[in-house]
Every structure is written in structure tokens, then in C-alpha cells.
């Protein structure tokens, strides 16, 4: 039921609009669909919303999600049903069905993906590196236990083998049940799964093994801390072929330019080739944006902003159902706002003709 006062109409889900203005049909539809499920079965679900309650100094509960990665910020999603919740040896794994975004994966309280907008992340982190070099053949994925990056790599006909190193078997098993469209990536016969620590896996990997390495890690807290430190980048560079490419998730330009600067600086010293930063929009992520670090090993002339291996050159059956990525989006991903150019320009290494 709509509640009307002198100024606002409450249409549910915390949405309020001026009463003098017509209520958009999408808001009315969402309001009508809200269930009575109050989400009482998990600590991060408050009154049916994905959030977290922390006590204030006066003992009252503060109804915002406080994470050291995004202090003072909150983004809530209406929960219809908690589908899975358990603690692995590494982290808490939570999957819930949302009102508006399909199923949602949360690790240690941090949202990883939703069915509605996962394409904007999975397609970009895979195709930005794979389309930047001709005929990639051997690919490694670090993390990515949901299978989405594998699904996207499998679109490339030149790829002969795909290794994936995921530390948490629980993530793989839970996503197999609750994210079948993502887990389908594991069904490709070129995929070889290695469950274990990526640092140990890479130490045992022969030098110059991979054309492309994609690090699809969670945020740099908990089990993913090692994946943003220089020793790990040295190990990645060792495993790449000359001219090979790394693509690493590297946070939002709106929130963590200090972390982006650190990772770019390490990459410049480690890979001796082109280094660039790209970004995409993912509405369910803090700030609605996420970035990618791209590095080439020993090839300073590689222009990441120009897809040498366009996805459109793949057979139609391999790229026709892409939801987000295309060659125009690829080029646009490297167009940076002025404030980001100012903060990162000295850390981005591109060929002279396209240097920022």
C-alpha cells in the first residue's frame, strides 16, 4: 500500500518520490512485488535487506554496513530468501535470492556478484586481456570459483587450455547449485581445475607458461591480501610468456586511487612493458564502478586500448550472446576522467602515440 503525506509517496524498499510527480511504473512494480520475508536467518540481513548491524557507543544499533574498505557507505539489496550460508576454512560464504538482482554471492560480508550485472565484470576482466593480443592459447585464472570468467574465456577459439586455481572448494560447490549460468564455464573440456593456494601453484609453474593470466580475486582483505603484494606480482611475471598479459581486478577509481597507485607502481617495476588502467560499471559494487590493471611482460609497445583480436572475429556462436562487452566498450574502458588522469598519469605506461 502506498503511504502518502504532504511531500512524499513511499513506494517500498526505501524509495520515496515527490507526491506531485508520477510514480514510475518500475517503482510501482517493485513495490507490489515486495514480500513479507524479514530475512531473520543471517546476521548481515536486516529486516529483509542485505546489510550489517554494528552497535554504536550508546548501545543502539547502527543500520548501515560498515566495512573498512568503504567506511561510511552503504548499499542494500532486498533479500527474498537465503539460499546458502556456511563457513569454509577461509571465509563465510553466503548466497541469497534478491528481489531485483537475482541470486547474489557474498564472501565475508562483501558482495561479489549478482546475476543481474555480473556480465559487466566477467566479460570485461576476460575480454580486455584476451582481445589485446593475437591468438592467446594458454590461460590461467586465479580465483574465479563461480565459473564466470571461464565462461567468457571459452568464447575464444584460439585458447587451447585454461587452468584455474581457486582456494575455496565451498565457493565452487555452492555456485554449481545456485549460479548454473556462471558455473557452466567449468564444463568446457579445456578447463583444468586446481583447488589450492595460488601462490603455491604459481611457484610450481614453469617459467613462461601462460599467454594470459587473469586474477579474479576478492578485495584485498582476508585470504586475498597476498594477491596485491609485490612477491605475488613477481611470481605472476615469471609465469607469463614474453609478450604475455596480466589482467588484475584493482578496485574503484572513486574510492581507492591510493591502492590503484600502489599496484600500478609495482607493475611498472615488475613487468617492464605497457601498464594501463581500465574500468567498467557494476551497479551492485561500491561506487558502481570497478577497475582493472593490465600489464604486458616486456612489451612496451602493446596498446591495450586497441583490441588486436576483436571479439567480433570469433564465430557468431561464440560471441552473439554477450551482454556487455564489445570492441567499442573495450576502447572506451581506457578513457579516464580528468581527476583519475591527474592521479595516475605518471604510473601508466602506454605506447608513445597514445600516451596520456
Amino acid at each position: 500500500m502506498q503511504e502518502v503525506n504532504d511531500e512524499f509517496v513511499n513506494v517500498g524498499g526505501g524509495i520515496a518520490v515527490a507526491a506531485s510527480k508520477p510514480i514510475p511504473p518500475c517503482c510501482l512494480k517493485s513495490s507490489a512485488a515486495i514480500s513479507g520475508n524479514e530475512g531473520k536467518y543471517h546476521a548481515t540481513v536486516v529486516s529483509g535487506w542485505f546489510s550489517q548491524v554494528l552497535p554504536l557507543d550508546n548501545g543502539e544499533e547502527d543500520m548501515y554496513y560498515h566495512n573498512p574498505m568503504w567506511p561510511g557507505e552503504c548499499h542494500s539489496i532486498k533479500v527474498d530468501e537465503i539460499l546458502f550460508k556456511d563457513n569454509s576454512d577461509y571465509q563465510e560464504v553466503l548466497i541469497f535470492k534478491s528481489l531485483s538482482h537475482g541470486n547474489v554471492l557474498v564472501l565475508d560480508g562483501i558482495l561479489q556478484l549478482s546475476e543481474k550485472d555480473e556480465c559487466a565484470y566477467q566479460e570485461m576482466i576476460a575480454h580486455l586481456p584476451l582481445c589485446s593480443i593475437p591468438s592467446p592459447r594458454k590461460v590461467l585464472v586465479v580465483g574465479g570459483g563461480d565459473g564466470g570468467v571461464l565462461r567468457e574465456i571459452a568464447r575464444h577459439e584460439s585458447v587451447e587450455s585454461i587452468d584455474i586455481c581457486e582456494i575455496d572448494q565451498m565457493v565452487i560447490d555452492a555456485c554449481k547449485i545456485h549460479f548454473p549460468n556462471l558455473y557452466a564455464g567449468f564444463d568446457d573440456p579445456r578447463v583444468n581445475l586446481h583447488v589450492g593456494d595460488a601462490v603455491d601453484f604459481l611457484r610450481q609453474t614453469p617459467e613462461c607458461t601462460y599467454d594470459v593470466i587473469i586474477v579474479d580475486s576478492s578485495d584485498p582483505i582476508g585470504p586475498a591480501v597476498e594477491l596485491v603484494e609485490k612477491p605475488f606480482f613477481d611470481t605472476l611475471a615469471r609465469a607469463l610468456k614474453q609478450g604475455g598479459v596480466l589482467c588484475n581486478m584493482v578496485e574503484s577509481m572513486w574510492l581507492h586511487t591510493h591502492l590503484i597507485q600502489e599496484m600500478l607502481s609495482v607493475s611498472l617495476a615488475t613487468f617492464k612493458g605497457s601498464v594501463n588502467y581500465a574500468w567498467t560499471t557494476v551497479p551492485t559494487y561500491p561506487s558502481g564502478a570497478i577497475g582493472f590493471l593490465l600489464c604486458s611482460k616486456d612489451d612496451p609497445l602493446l596498446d591495450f586500448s586497441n583490441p588486436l583480436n576483436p571479439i567480433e572475429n570469433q564465430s557468431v556462436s561464440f560471441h552473439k550472446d554477450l551482454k556487455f562487452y564489445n570492441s567499442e566498450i573495450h576502447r572506451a574502458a581506457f578513457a579516464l576522467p580528468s581527476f583519475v588522469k591527474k592521479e595516475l598519469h605518471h604510473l601508466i605506461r602506454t605506447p608513445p602515440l597514445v600516451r596520456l
Side-chain angles (χ1 to χ4, degrees), residues 8 25 44 47 55 67 76 82 131 168-170 187 198 204-205 208 230 232 244 269 273 295 307 334 340 345 352 356:
F8 294 97
T44 60
S47 299
N67 185 285
S76 293
I82 294 176
C131 291
D168 200 336
Q169 183 69 51
M170 183 179 289
D187 295 333
Q204 299 173 38
T205 299
C208 303
K230 190 177 188 308
F232 182 64
C295 310
F334 295 91
V340 182
H345 73 93
L356 294 177

Side-chain angles (χ1 to χ4, degrees), residues 19-35:
S20 60
K21 297 181 181 180
I23 301 172
C26 58
C27 294
L28 290 173
K29 183 178 179 181
S30 295
S31 178
I34 293 175
S35 69

Side-chain angles (χ1 to χ4, degrees), residues 25-66:
C26 58
C27 294
L28 290 173
K29 183 178 179 181
S30 295
S31 178
I34 293 175
S35 69
N37 185 330
E38 291 302 309
K40 298 177 180 177
Y41 307 108
H42 189 266
T44 60
V45 177
V46 181
S47 299
W49 294 84
F50 172 64
S51 189
Q52 180 158 315
V53 177
L54 294 176
L56 295 173
D57 292 339
N58 60 9
E60 296 180 0
E61 290 183 333
D62 186 11
M63 303 294 284
Y64 70 90
Y65 180 66
H66 178 78

Side-chain angles (χ1 to χ4, degrees), residues 16 78 98 115 158 171 220 242 259 278 338:
K78 185 71 172 68
S98 71
E115 288 183 308
S158 66
V171 172
Q242 187 168 6
L259 180 58
S338 296

Side-chain angles (χ1 to χ4, degrees), residues 183-200:
Y183 186 85
F186 282 99
D187 295 333
D188 192 284
R190 294 170 290 181
V191 171
N192 307 295
L193 172 62
H194 308 270
V195 178
D197 183 82
V199 176
D200 292 338

